[in-house]
Amino acid sequence: MKQYDLSVIVTAHNCAQHLTSCLDSIKLALGDKFSQCEIMLINDSSTDATGDIYQQFAESQSNVILYNVAYKNIGKVRNFGVSKAQGEYITMVDGDDQLQAGSMIEVIDFLGSHHPDMLITRLTEVRNNDVPAVSQALQPKPITTNAAIKKYLIHQAFQAHFIGKFIKRSILLHCKFPNYICYEDSFAFPEVLKSCKKIYLSATGPYLYFKHGNTLSSDISEEKIHLCRKGLDQMSLVLQGEFRFLQVCHWIEFVNRNHLTISKWKDRGAIKQNIEDVDMLPFLLHPNVRISYKRKLIKVKKLIRHW
């Protein structure tokens, strides 16, 4: 039985520089709905002042719960948060991002009145701390599951991030995150999408996504490339050939970015086959495949020729 309308899971690892602004923004975003929400603060193995900032924010607020864990693994952190949450819905906030003031009030009202399986909202990217002065009203519109999958694969309206999304806890309890240090969202999101029957998409949203340039996924190592590959394998398994050409676009991008590393792998054959199996003419004529991927397919076919 739910105890809160929404659980806001805030994850942080050595985020002290940004964390106070993040937590203050959450309180301002919720306004008079603050007490209707559970605020879960998860500190994973921080060695800076993150734990102290969390502790200060949690004091004397019964709906704010602090957990200190030592996973050093965002997939484990997210699963832990979902397992402990008591809200009907869950949303996730990274400790170095923010929410726009007052923006969550209408989100909570919408969740309570329309009862979607998932509400997907637009992320507002913030560079050089250039925060927009005024937040835009929520613009939720219903979208079918197949249409949502298509938009996800095209990668323009939204991506696999769990930030900016409001999902029924019952669905997230069923769709587990892998124990990955990054790309856990890419692995889990296709299954979440397929599990949702009532989806709304908003071209606006409360989430301010700060581009600091030092994220887990921006510092690419061979281990992270392997995890990205596993996410693509999972996408292919879950979607089972739906929107085949749009799925191929993700494989094309993966090979284009990482071909030097992949070319040394002993198990590269399956990756190569994903590209070689593409029928060029239908792919090039497909109206939903972006021009950039049509060009990259030609390039990538040449790159893999001698694998």
Side-chain angles (χ1 to χ4, degrees), residues 27-56:
K27 199 161 190 176
L28 289 173
L30 289 169
D32 61 7
K33 303 283 188 183
F34 185 79
S35 62
Q36 294 174 225
C37 298
E38 175 187 40
I39 315 299
M40 300 179 63
L41 312 178
I42 306 181
N43 172 31
D44 183 20
S45 310
S46 295
T47 56
D48 63 0
T50 291
D52 295 334
I53 295 169
Y54 266 168
Q55 182 65 48
Q56 185 176 4

PDB file of all heavy atoms in Angstrom, residues 27-56:
ATOM      1  N   LYS A  27      13.057  21.011  -3.044  1.00  0.00           N
ATOM      2  CA  LYS A  27      12.081  21.559  -2.091  1.00  0.00           C
ATOM      3  C   LYS A  27      11.248  22.668  -2.733  1.00  0.00           C
ATOM      4  O   LYS A  27      10.021  22.730  -2.579  1.00  0.00           O
ATOM      5  CB  LYS A  27      12.808  22.076  -0.851  1.00  0.00           C
ATOM      6  CG  LYS A  27      11.902  22.233   0.370  1.00  0.00           C
ATOM      7  CD  LYS A  27      12.703  22.288   1.640  1.00  0.00           C
ATOM      8  CE  LYS A  27      11.777  22.189   2.851  1.00  0.00           C
ATOM      9  NZ  LYS A  27      12.514  22.149   4.131  1.00  0.00           N
ATOM     10  N   LEU A  28      11.913  23.532  -3.511  1.00  0.00           N
ATOM     11  CA  LEU A  28      11.200  24.609  -4.201  1.00  0.00           C
ATOM     12  C   LEU A  28      10.302  24.058  -5.305  1.00  0.00           C
ATOM     13  O   LEU A  28       9.211  24.579  -5.549  1.00  0.00           O
ATOM     14  CB  LEU A  28      12.203  25.599  -4.793  1.00  0.00           C
ATOM     15  CG  LEU A  28      12.949  26.482  -3.789  1.00  0.00           C
ATOM     16  CD1 LEU A  28      14.034  27.295  -4.497  1.00  0.00           C
ATOM     17  CD2 LEU A  28      11.968  27.418  -3.074  1.00  0.00           C
ATOM     18  N   ALA A  29      10.743  23.001  -5.965  1.00  0.00           N
ATOM     19  CA  ALA A  29       9.950  22.422  -7.049  1.00  0.00           C
ATOM     20  C   ALA A  29       8.659  21.797  -6.522  1.00  0.00           C
ATOM     21  O   ALA A  29       7.604  21.876  -7.154  1.00  0.00           O
ATOM     22  CB  ALA A  29      10.774  21.369  -7.794  1.00  0.00           C
ATOM     23  N   LEU A  30       8.723  21.177  -5.338  1.00  0.00           N
ATOM     24  CA  LEU A  30       7.561  20.502  -4.763  1.00  0.00           C
ATOM     25  C   LEU A  30       6.607  21.469  -4.074  1.00  0.00           C
ATOM     26  O   LEU A  30       5.409  21.185  -3.981  1.00  0.00           O
ATOM     27  CB  LEU A  30       8.023  19.431  -3.777  1.00  0.00           C
ATOM     28  CG  LEU A  30       8.687  18.204  -4.410  1.00  0.00           C
ATOM     29  CD1 LEU A  30       9.352  17.347  -3.343  1.00  0.00           C
ATOM     30  CD2 LEU A  30       7.674  17.377  -5.189  1.00  0.00           C
ATOM     31  N   GLY A  31       7.105  22.574  -3.575  1.00  0.00           N
ATOM     32  CA  GLY A  31       6.249  23.562  -2.921  1.00  0.00           C
ATOM     33  C   GLY A  31       5.402  22.943  -1.832  1.00  0.00           C
ATOM     34  O   GLY A  31       5.897  22.199  -0.977  1.00  0.00           O
ATOM     35  N   ASP A  32       4.069  23.198  -1.871  1.00  0.00           N
ATOM     36  CA  ASP A  32       3.190  22.683  -0.815  1.00  0.00           C
ATOM     37  C   ASP A  32       2.881  21.191  -0.975  1.00  0.00           C
ATOM     38  O   ASP A  32       2.154  20.608  -0.169  1.00  0.00           O
ATOM     39  CB  ASP A  32       1.901  23.497  -0.736  1.00  0.00           C
ATOM     40  CG  ASP A  32       1.089  23.463  -2.025  1.00  0.00           C
ATOM     41  OD1 ASP A  32       1.450  22.698  -2.940  1.00  0.00           O
ATOM     42  OD2 ASP A  32       0.094  24.208  -2.119  1.00  0.00           O
ATOM     43  N   LYS A  33       3.448  20.564  -2.010  1.00  0.00           N
ATOM     44  CA  LYS A  33       3.304  19.113  -2.185  1.00  0.00           C
ATOM     45  C   LYS A  33       4.447  18.343  -1.516  1.00  0.00           C
ATOM     46  O   LYS A  33       4.480  17.104  -1.579  1.00  0.00           O
ATOM     47  CB  LYS A  33       3.292  18.758  -3.676  1.00  0.00           C
ATOM     48  CG  LYS A  33       2.215  19.446  -4.494  1.00  0.00           C
ATOM     49  CD  LYS A  33       0.865  18.822  -4.283  1.00  0.00           C
ATOM     50  CE  LYS A  33      -0.148  19.390  -5.250  1.00  0.00           C
ATOM     51  NZ  LYS A  33      -1.516  18.842  -5.036  1.00  0.00           N
ATOM     52  N   PHE A  34       5.361  19.054  -0.882  1.00  0.00           N
ATOM     53  CA  PHE A  34       6.562  18.431  -0.333  1.00  0.00           C
ATOM     54  C   PHE A  34       6.225  17.277   0.600  1.00  0.00           C
ATOM     55  O   PHE A  34       6.821  16.192   0.506  1.00  0.00           O
ATOM     56  CB  PHE A  34       7.410  19.474   0.391  1.00  0.00           C
ATOM     57  CG  PHE A  34       8.728  18.956   0.890  1.00  0.00           C
ATOM     58  CD1 PHE A  34       9.799  18.796   0.023  1.00  0.00           C
ATOM     59  CD2 PHE A  34       8.917  18.629   2.231  1.00  0.00           C
ATOM     60  CE1 PHE A  34      11.026  18.312   0.467  1.00  0.00           C
ATOM     61  CE2 PHE A  34      10.132  18.153   2.687  1.00  0.00           C
ATOM     62  CZ  PHE A  34      11.183  17.994   1.801  1.00  0.00           C
ATOM     63  N   SER A  35       5.256  17.462   1.476  1.00  0.00           N
ATOM     64  CA  SER A  35       4.934  16.436   2.468  1.00  0.00           C
ATOM     65  C   SER A  35       4.249  15.216   1.856  1.00  0.00           C
ATOM     66  O   SER A  35       4.171  14.156   2.490  1.00  0.00           O
ATOM     67  CB  SER A  35       4.046  17.026   3.565  1.00  0.00           C
ATOM     68  OG  SER A  35       2.819  17.475   3.018  1.00  0.00           O
ATOM     69  N   GLN A  36       3.732  15.356   0.623  1.00  0.00           N
ATOM     70  CA  GLN A  36       3.086  14.234  -0.054  1.00  0.00           C
ATOM     71  C   GLN A  36       4.111  13.300  -0.707  1.00  0.00           C
ATOM     72  O   GLN A  36       3.743  12.249  -1.236  1.00  0.00           O
ATOM     73  CB  GLN A  36       2.124  14.737  -1.134  1.00  0.00           C
ATOM     74  CG  GLN A  36       0.930  15.500  -0.592  1.00  0.00           C
ATOM     75  CD  GLN A  36       0.087  16.092  -1.710  1.00  0.00           C
ATOM     76  OE1 GLN A  36      -0.326  17.247  -1.659  1.00  0.00           O
ATOM     77  NE2 GLN A  36      -0.156  15.300  -2.735  1.00  0.00           N
ATOM     78  N   CYS A  37       5.371  13.704  -0.652  1.00  0.00           N
ATOM     79  CA  CYS A  37       6.412  12.956  -1.347  1.00  0.00           C
ATOM     80  C   CYS A  37       7.443  12.408  -0.363  1.00  0.00           C
ATOM     81  O   CYS A  37       7.726  13.020   0.665  1.00  0.00           O
ATOM     82  CB  CYS A  37       7.122  13.849  -2.370  1.00  0.00           C
ATOM     83  SG  CYS A  37       6.022  14.459  -3.648  1.00  0.00           S
ATOM     84  N   GLU A  38       7.985  11.282  -0.730  1.00  0.00           N
ATOM     85  CA  GLU A  38       9.100  10.696  -0.010  1.00  0.00           C
ATOM     86  C   GLU A  38      10.384  11.122  -0.716  1.00  0.00           C
ATOM     87  O   GLU A  38      10.528  10.917  -1.921  1.00  0.00           O
ATOM     88  CB  GLU A  38       8.980   9.176  -0.014  1.00  0.00           C
ATOM     89  CG  GLU A  38      10.159   8.444   0.604  1.00  0.00           C
ATOM     90  CD  GLU A  38      10.066   6.947   0.414  1.00  0.00           C
ATOM     91  OE1 GLU A  38       9.664   6.497  -0.682  1.00  0.00           O
ATOM     92  OE2 GLU A  38      10.397   6.224   1.369  1.00  0.00           O
ATOM     93  N   ILE A  39      11.297  11.726   0.029  1.00  0.00           N
ATOM     94  CA  ILE A  39      12.582  12.133  -0.533  1.00  0.00           C
ATOM     95  C   ILE A  39      13.627  11.155  -0.026  1.00  0.00           C
ATOM     96  O   ILE A  39      13.948  11.119   1.163  1.00  0.00           O
ATOM     97  CB  ILE A  39      12.958  13.575  -0.126  1.00  0.00           C
ATOM     98  CG1 ILE A  39      11.752  14.521  -0.273  1.00  0.00           C
ATOM     99  CG2 ILE A  39      14.153  14.060  -0.946  1.00  0.00           C
ATOM    100  CD1 ILE A  39      11.208  14.624  -1.665  1.00  0.00           C
ATOM    101  N   MET A  40      14.167  10.341  -0.927  1.00  0.00           N
ATOM    102  CA  MET A  40      15.150   9.325  -0.567  1.00  0.00           C
ATOM    103  C   MET A  40      16.531   9.814  -0.983  1.00  0.00           C
ATOM    104  O   MET A  40      16.790  10.034  -2.172  1.00  0.00           O
ATOM    105  CB  MET A  40      14.833   8.005  -1.260  1.00  0.00           C
ATOM    106  CG  MET A  40      13.474   7.440  -0.901  1.00  0.00           C
ATOM    107  SD  MET A  40      13.141   5.888  -1.791  1.00  0.00           S
ATOM    108  CE  MET A  40      14.444   4.849  -1.138  1.00  0.00           C
ATOM    109  N   LEU A  41      17.411   9.979  -0.018  1.00  0.00           N
ATOM    110  CA  LEU A  41      18.772  10.439  -0.269  1.00  0.00           C
ATOM    111  C   LEU A  41      19.709   9.242  -0.167  1.00  0.00           C
ATOM    112  O   LEU A  41      19.822   8.633   0.896  1.00  0.00           O
ATOM    113  CB  LEU A  41      19.165  11.508   0.755  1.00  0.00           C
ATOM    114  CG  LEU A  41      18.155  12.647   0.993  1.00  0.00           C
ATOM    115  CD1 LEU A  41      18.682  13.599   2.069  1.00  0.00           C
ATOM    116  CD2 LEU A  41      17.872  13.393  -0.306  1.00  0.00           C
ATOM    117  N   ILE A  42      20.367   8.902  -1.258  1.00  0.00           N
ATOM    118  CA  ILE A  42      21.261   7.742  -1.254  1.00  0.00           C
ATOM    119  C   ILE A  42      22.686   8.212  -1.528  1.00  0.00           C
ATOM    120  O   ILE A  42      22.998   8.724  -2.602  1.00  0.00           O
ATOM    121  CB  ILE A  42      20.836   6.696  -2.297  1.00  0.00           C
ATOM    122  CG1 ILE A  42      19.364   6.311  -2.103  1.00  0.00           C
ATOM    123  CG2 ILE A  42      21.722   5.456  -2.185  1.00  0.00           C
ATOM    124  CD1 ILE A  42      18.857   5.267  -3.082  1.00  0.00           C
ATOM    125  N   ASN A  43      23.525   8.046  -0.529  1.00  0.00           N
ATOM    126  CA  ASN A  43      24.937   8.428  -0.601  1.00  0.00           C
ATOM    127  C   ASN A  43      25.764   7.175  -0.826  1.00  0.00           C
ATOM    128  O   ASN A  43      25.863   6.310   0.039  1.00  0.00           O
ATOM    129  CB  ASN A  43      25.347   9.121   0.701  1.00  0.00           C
ATOM    130  CG  ASN A  43      26.840   9.367   0.770  1.00  0.00           C
ATOM    131  OD1 ASN A  43      27.501   9.578  -0.243  1.00  0.00           O
ATOM    132  ND2 ASN A  43      27.381   9.331   1.987  1.00  0.00           N
ATOM    133  N   ASP A  44      26.359   7.070  -2.019  1.00  0.00           N
ATOM    134  CA  ASP A  44      27.123   5.873  -2.361  1.00  0.00           C
ATOM    135  C   ASP A  44      28.620   6.151  -2.301  1.00  0.00           C
ATOM    136  O   ASP A  44      29.193   6.748  -3.206  1.00  0.00           O
ATOM    137  CB  ASP A  44      26.736   5.391  -3.773  1.00  0.00           C
ATOM    138  CG  ASP A  44      27.440   4.094  -4.162  1.00  0.00           C
ATOM    139  OD1 ASP A  44      27.913   3.385  -3.248  1.00  0.00           O
ATOM    140  OD2 ASP A  44      27.521   3.793  -5.367  1.00  0.00           O
ATOM    141  N   SER A  45      29.222   5.753  -1.189  1.00  0.00           N
ATOM    142  CA  SER A  45      30.692   5.717  -1.060  1.00  0.00           C
ATOM    143  C   SER A  45      31.367   7.073  -1.228  1.00  0.00           C
ATOM    144  O   SER A  45      32.513   7.140  -1.679  1.00  0.00           O
ATOM    145  CB  SER A  45      31.281   4.734  -2.097  1.00  0.00           C
ATOM    146  OG  SER A  45      30.641   3.491  -2.067  1.00  0.00           O
ATOM    147  N   SER A  46      30.695   8.139  -0.843  1.00  0.00           N
ATOM    148  CA  SER A  46      31.305   9.469  -1.000  1.00  0.00           C
ATOM    149  C   SER A  46      32.412   9.689   0.021  1.00  0.00           C
ATOM    150  O   SER A  46      32.326   9.246   1.168  1.00  0.00           O
ATOM    151  CB  SER A  46      30.244  10.565  -0.845  1.00  0.00           C
ATOM    152  OG  SER A  46      29.286  10.493  -1.877  1.00  0.00           O
ATOM    153  N   THR A  47      33.446  10.421  -0.398  1.00  0.00           N
ATOM    154  CA  THR A  47      34.552  10.755   0.496  1.00  0.00           C
ATOM    155  C   THR A  47      34.626  12.262   0.740  1.00  0.00           C
ATOM    156  O   THR A  47      35.515  12.718   1.454  1.00  0.00           O
ATOM    157  CB  THR A  47      35.889  10.271  -0.101  1.00  0.00           C
ATOM    158  OG1 THR A  47      36.059  10.820  -1.411  1.00  0.00           O
ATOM    159  CG2 THR A  47      35.908   8.748  -0.180  1.00  0.00           C
ATOM    160  N   ASP A  48      33.695  13.023   0.163  1.00  0.00           N
ATOM    161  CA  ASP A  48      33.654  14.465   0.385  1.00  0.00           C
ATOM    162  C   ASP A  48      32.534  14.773   1.392  1.00  0.00           C
ATOM    163  O   ASP A  48      32.161  13.920   2.193  1.00  0.00           O
ATOM    164  CB  ASP A  48      33.485  15.222  -0.939  1.00  0.00           C
ATOM    165  CG  ASP A  48      32.162  14.909  -1.627  1.00  0.00           C
ATOM    166  OD1 ASP A  48      31.362  14.106  -1.083  1.00  0.00           O
ATOM    167  OD2 ASP A  48      31.924  15.460  -2.718  1.00  0.00           O
ATOM    168  N   ALA A  49      31.966  15.961   1.326  1.00  0.00           N
ATOM    169  CA  ALA A  49      30.951  16.369   2.301  1.00  0.00           C
ATOM    170  C   ALA A  49      29.535  15.956   1.926  1.00  0.00           C
ATOM    171  O   ALA A  49      28.572  16.404   2.561  1.00  0.00           O
ATOM    172  CB  ALA A  49      31.014  17.889   2.471  1.00  0.00           C
ATOM    173  N   THR A  50      29.391  15.097   0.944  1.00  0.00           N
ATOM    174  CA  THR A  50      28.057  14.677   0.498  1.00  0.00           C
ATOM    175  C   THR A  50      27.213  14.152   1.655  1.00  0.00           C
ATOM    176  O   THR A  50      26.051  14.546   1.827  1.00  0.00           O
ATOM    177  CB  THR A  50      28.178  13.601  -0.602  1.00  0.00           C
ATOM    178  OG1 THR A  50      28.713  14.194  -1.786  1.00  0.00           O
ATOM    179  CG2 THR A  50      26.827  12.981  -0.922  1.00  0.00           C
ATOM    180  N   GLY A  51      27.761  13.263   2.468  1.00  0.00           N
ATOM    181  CA  GLY A  51      27.011  12.690   3.580  1.00  0.00           C
ATOM    182  C   GLY A  51      26.548  13.736   4.580  1.00  0.00           C
ATOM    183  O   GLY A  51      25.418  13.673   5.083  1.00  0.00           O
ATOM    184  N   ASP A  52      27.399  14.713   4.878  1.00  0.00           N
ATOM    185  CA  ASP A  52      27.040  15.776   5.823  1.00  0.00           C
ATOM    186  C   ASP A  52      25.909  16.642   5.274  1.00  0.00           C
ATOM    187  O   ASP A  52      24.993  17.035   6.011  1.00  0.00           O
ATOM    188  CB  ASP A  52      28.260  16.644   6.118  1.00  0.00           C
ATOM    189  CG  ASP A  52      29.360  15.885   6.847  1.00  0.00           C
ATOM    190  OD1 ASP A  52      29.031  14.901   7.552  1.00  0.00           O
ATOM    191  OD2 ASP A  52      30.538  16.262   6.705  1.00  0.00           O
ATOM    192  N   ILE A  53      25.964  16.954   3.974  1.00  0.00           N
ATOM    193  CA  ILE A  53      24.921  17.780   3.353  1.00  0.00           C
ATOM    194  C   ILE A  53      23.592  17.038   3.364  1.00  0.00           C
ATOM    195  O   ILE A  53      22.543  17.611   3.691  1.00  0.00           O
ATOM    196  CB  ILE A  53      25.327  18.163   1.916  1.00  0.00           C
ATOM    197  CG1 ILE A  53      26.564  19.065   1.940  1.00  0.00           C
ATOM    198  CG2 ILE A  53      24.179  18.857   1.186  1.00  0.00           C
ATOM    199  CD1 ILE A  53      27.201  19.299   0.578  1.00  0.00           C
ATOM    200  N   TYR A  54      23.638  15.769   3.043  1.00  0.00           N
ATOM    201  CA  TYR A  54      22.432  14.945   3.111  1.00  0.00           C
ATOM    202  C   TYR A  54      21.867  14.917   4.527  1.00  0.00           C
ATOM    203  O   TYR A  54      20.658  15.067   4.739  1.00  0.00           O
ATOM    204  CB  TYR A  54      22.769  13.516   2.678  1.00  0.00           C
ATOM    205  CG  TYR A  54      22.538  13.191   1.219  1.00  0.00           C
ATOM    206  CD1 TYR A  54      23.054  12.012   0.683  1.00  0.00           C
ATOM    207  CD2 TYR A  54      21.787  14.008   0.387  1.00  0.00           C
ATOM    208  CE1 TYR A  54      22.834  11.664  -0.648  1.00  0.00           C
ATOM    209  CE2 TYR A  54      21.561  13.674  -0.940  1.00  0.00           C
ATOM    210  CZ  TYR A  54      22.093  12.505  -1.452  1.00  0.00           C
ATOM    211  OH  TYR A  54      21.867  12.159  -2.761  1.00  0.00           O
ATOM    212  N   GLN A  55      22.735  14.700   5.504  1.00  0.00           N
ATOM    213  CA  GLN A  55      22.297  14.590   6.893  1.00  0.00           C
ATOM    214  C   GLN A  55      21.614  15.872   7.355  1.00  0.00           C
ATOM    215  O   GLN A  55      20.551  15.837   7.992  1.00  0.00           O
ATOM    216  CB  GLN A  55      23.499  14.293   7.795  1.00  0.00           C
ATOM    217  CG  GLN A  55      23.137  14.104   9.266  1.00  0.00           C
ATOM    218  CD  GLN A  55      22.284  12.885   9.507  1.00  0.00           C
ATOM    219  OE1 GLN A  55      22.585  11.804   9.014  1.00  0.00           O
ATOM    220  NE2 GLN A  55      21.205  13.049  10.262  1.00  0.00           N
ATOM    221  N   GLN A  56      22.186  16.987   7.005  1.00  0.00           N
ATOM    222  CA  GLN A  56      21.603  18.279   7.394  1.00  0.00           C
ATOM    223  C   GLN A  56      20.231  18.475   6.760  1.00  0.00           C
ATOM    224  O   GLN A  56      19.302  18.975   7.402  1.00  0.00           O
ATOM    225  CB  GLN A  56      22.549  19.409   6.988  1.00  0.00           C
ATOM    226  CG  GLN A  56      22.090  20.786   7.448  1.00  0.00           C
ATOM    227  CD  GLN A  56      23.109  21.869   7.101  1.00  0.00           C
ATOM    228  OE1 GLN A  56      24.112  21.617   6.458  1.00  0.00           O
ATOM    229  NE2 GLN A  56      22.828  23.088   7.531  1.00  0.00           N
TER     230      GLN A  56
END
